[in-house]
Amino acid sequence: MLIERDPNGDFILDSTELAERFGLSQADLRRHMRHGSIVSSVEIGTAEHAGTKRVSLRLGNRLWRAVLNDENEVQHEEMTILRRNAPGQPPR
């Protein structure tokens, strides 16, 4: 997957590949983005993980994560389906 940085340091992900990861058409991905349904976060590695970053994107119960090296190359990625907690169970 192509991950670049803009002049402000924000990450830019390829929408075609991102739609594929989530099993969506590009039109559906764009619709979710317009509605704010996709939540993203970036974590900066420390200690033994210094120089790495973890980019996470969540859409509903689907969570895609990628670990990037110091040159923003994807070293590892995974898609996780999050389960709902049973009534009365603490959050996971």
Side-chain angles (χ1 to χ4, degrees):
M1 171 175 275
L2 177 64
I3 299 182
E4 298 179 10
R5 303 287 292 269
D6 72 11
N8 294 324
D10 294 328
F11 289 88
I12 302 170
L13 289 83
D14 182 273
S15 63
T16 302
E17 292 189 42
L18 191 55
E20 182 179 299
R21 298 301 194 279
F22 280 96
L24 301 170
S25 67
Q26 281 193 315
D28 284 340
L29 177 71
R30 288 188 181 112
R31 181 176 51 80
H32 284 294
M33 292 175 72
R34 280 193 308 273
H35 290 116
S37 304
I38 299 177
V39 179
S40 64
S41 66
V42 176
E43 299 169 83
I44 306 300
T46 59
E48 70 269 11
H49 301 287
T52 65
K53 294 161 258 348
R54 182 166 60 187
V55 177
S56 300
L57 296 167
R58 182 173 177 174
L59 173 62
N61 69 337
R62 293 174 281 181
L63 176 66
W64 176 80
R65 286 186 173 156
V67 175
L68 313 178
N69 64 15
D70 59 352
E71 295 177 8
N72 298 321
E73 298 168 328
V74 174
Q75 300 300 295
H76 172 77
E77 66 179 290
E78 65 185 9
M79 176 65 79
T80 304
I81 305 299
L82 304 171
R83 298 185 328 168
R84 292 186 112 189
N85 294 327
Q89 294 293 315
R92 296 179 190 200

